């Protein structure tokens, strides 16, 4: 499918799919959306509540690098979520094992057009961003001392992990263009892949999505959405 790199409302880039009139991120701001949905309501929420309840985050807040968090991303795409999570791991002083699943990897010519290091004010870390894309698929790589990346080139329907992850960034294309990715079958896989107390966050807020999550066992919260979107969802596994 044809793809083109375009600029969103906060000046950061994203990829646009003309045939579907769909984008990899919000047109209001790719970086803004990523921080709001996945970092604020996903990673930070998990670190400052769930881990604390298990006495691990005392660890993080005291700056001792022993907390280990395992994150699954549904749709690795441009690597933006992975990159900002890598930057956050440094700030939080925790170790993150990041797994990015992607069926249709972006090409090198697209990667070099993405302006995330510059827009995040970390131009000196551009090599790390490029490295996220350059490392081989299916192997685990230590990108920084506290961020490892395993990219998996496969379809979401092939995910079979059980009780492995603490957080899922569910960043599939919208239900308008890929309704098959917002079903009970897919959320059942997500539920099984999470550890107890694990959370799944997504930019979506549709009632049918929320009900599919609840049917497979998730407790679901509606939260304020990023600019341009009223609401988003966070689903927690409490078995
Ligand atoms: C909304 S974009 C993800 C954006 C990404 N998180 C980022 O920060 O750039 C959705 C991604 O899912 C991938 N995708 C679509 N259908 C898929 C499928 N069935 N299995 C695996 N990947 C798929 C697309 O290629 C695209 O990269």
């Amino acid at each position: 499918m044809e793809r083109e790199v375009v600029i969103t409302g906060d000046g950061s880039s994203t990829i646009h799919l003309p045939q579907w009139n769909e984008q990899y991120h919000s047109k209001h701001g790719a970086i803004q959306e990523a921080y709001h949905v996945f970092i604020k309501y996903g990673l930070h929420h998990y670190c400052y509540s769930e881990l604390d309840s298990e006495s691990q985050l005392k660890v993080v807040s005291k700056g001792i690098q022993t907390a280990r968090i395992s994150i699954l991303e549904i749709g690795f795409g441009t690597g933006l979520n992975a990159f900002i999570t890598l930057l956050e791991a440094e700030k939080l002083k925790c170790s993150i094992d990041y797994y990015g699943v992607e069926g249709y990897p972006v090409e090198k010519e697209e990667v070099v057009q993405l302006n995330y290091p510059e827009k995040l004010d970390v131009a000196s870390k551009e090599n790390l961003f490029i490295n996220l894309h350059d490392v081989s698929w299916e192997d685990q790589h230590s990108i920084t001392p506290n961020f490892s990346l395993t990219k998996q080139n496969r379809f979401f329907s092939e995910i079979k992990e059980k009780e492995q992850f603490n957080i899922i960034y569910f960043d599939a294309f919208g239900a308008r263009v890929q309704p098959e990715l917002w079903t009970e079958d897919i959320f059942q896989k997500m539920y099984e892949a999470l550890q107890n107390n694990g959370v799944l966050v997504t930019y979506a807020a549709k009632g049918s999505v929320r009900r599919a999550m609840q049917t497979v066992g998730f407790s679901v919260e509606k939260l304020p959405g990023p600019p341009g979107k009223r609401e988003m969802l966070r689903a927690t596994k409490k078995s």
Side-chain angles (χ1 to χ4, degrees), residues 3 23-25 73-81 101-104 154-156 171-173 178 181:
R3 300 193 290 221
Q23 299 202 150
Y24 279 42
H25 307 96
E73 179 174 23
I74 296 301
F76 181 78
T78 62
L80 170 60
N81 291 335
V101 178
E102 176 56 59
Y104 312 93
R154 57 180 164 145
F155 295 120
F156 304 143
D171 201 13
F173 289 131
Q178 286 196 301
L181 298 181

Side-chain angles (χ1 to χ4, degrees), residues 17 49-50 56 108 167 213:
L17 302 177
S49 58
E50 299 300 337
Q56 289 182 54
K108 185 79 182 178
I167 304 173
M213 291 170 168

Side-chain angles (χ1 to χ4, degrees), residues 3 13-15 17 20 22-26 30 33-34 38 73-83 98 101-106 114 116 133 152-159 169-174 178 180-182 186 203:
R3 300 193 290 221
S13 40
T14 190
I15 295 178
L17 302 177
W20 280 357
E22 180 75 355
Q23 299 202 150
Y24 279 42
H25 307 96
S26 161
E33 176 189 50
F38 301 109
E73 179 174 23
I74 296 301
F76 181 78
T78 62
L80 170 60
N81 291 335
F83 188 54
Y98 199 93
V101 178
E102 176 56 59
Y104 312 93
V106 296
L114 299 169
Y116 303 134
H133 288 280
Q152 301 175 332
N153 186 195
R154 57 180 164 145
F155 295 120
F156 304 143
S157 54
E158 296 170 311
I159 292 171
Y169 295 168
F170 196 87
D171 201 13
F173 289 131
Q178 286 196 301
E180 71 278 11
L181 298 181
W182 299 87
I186 292 284
Y203 64 86

Side-chain angles (χ1 to χ4, degrees), residues 58-99:
K58 291 166 186 165
V59 184
V60 170
S61 51
K62 283 185 184 153
I64 303 163
Q65 295 192 30
T66 49
R68 239 198 146 77
I69 300 170
S70 176
I71 299 179
L72 172 67
E73 179 174 23
I74 296 301
F76 181 78
T78 62
L80 170 60
N81 291 335
F83 188 54
I84 60 176
T85 301
L86 173 156
L87 300 174
E88 285 300 306
E90 252 171 58
K91 290 185 202 154
L92 292 167
K93 305 239 180 296
C94 62
S95 294
I96 294 183
D97 294 320
Y98 199 93
Y99 297 80

Side-chain angles (χ1 to χ4, degrees), residues 109-147:
E109 307 86 77
E110 296 169 303
V111 173
V112 296
Q113 294 177 61
L114 299 169
N115 64 6
Y116 303 134
E118 175 205 329
K119 290 293 163 190
L120 286 161
D121 230 2
V122 288
S124 61
K125 296 193 171 156
E126 172 134 33
N127 60 327
L128 291 178
F129 178 65
I130 299 291
N131 205 17
L132 296 177
H133 288 280
D134 281 351
V135 292
S136 59
W137 292 81
E138 319 310 333
D139 305 312
Q140 187 171 42
H141 301 272
S142 239
I143 306 289
T144 67
N146 44 4
F147 185 89

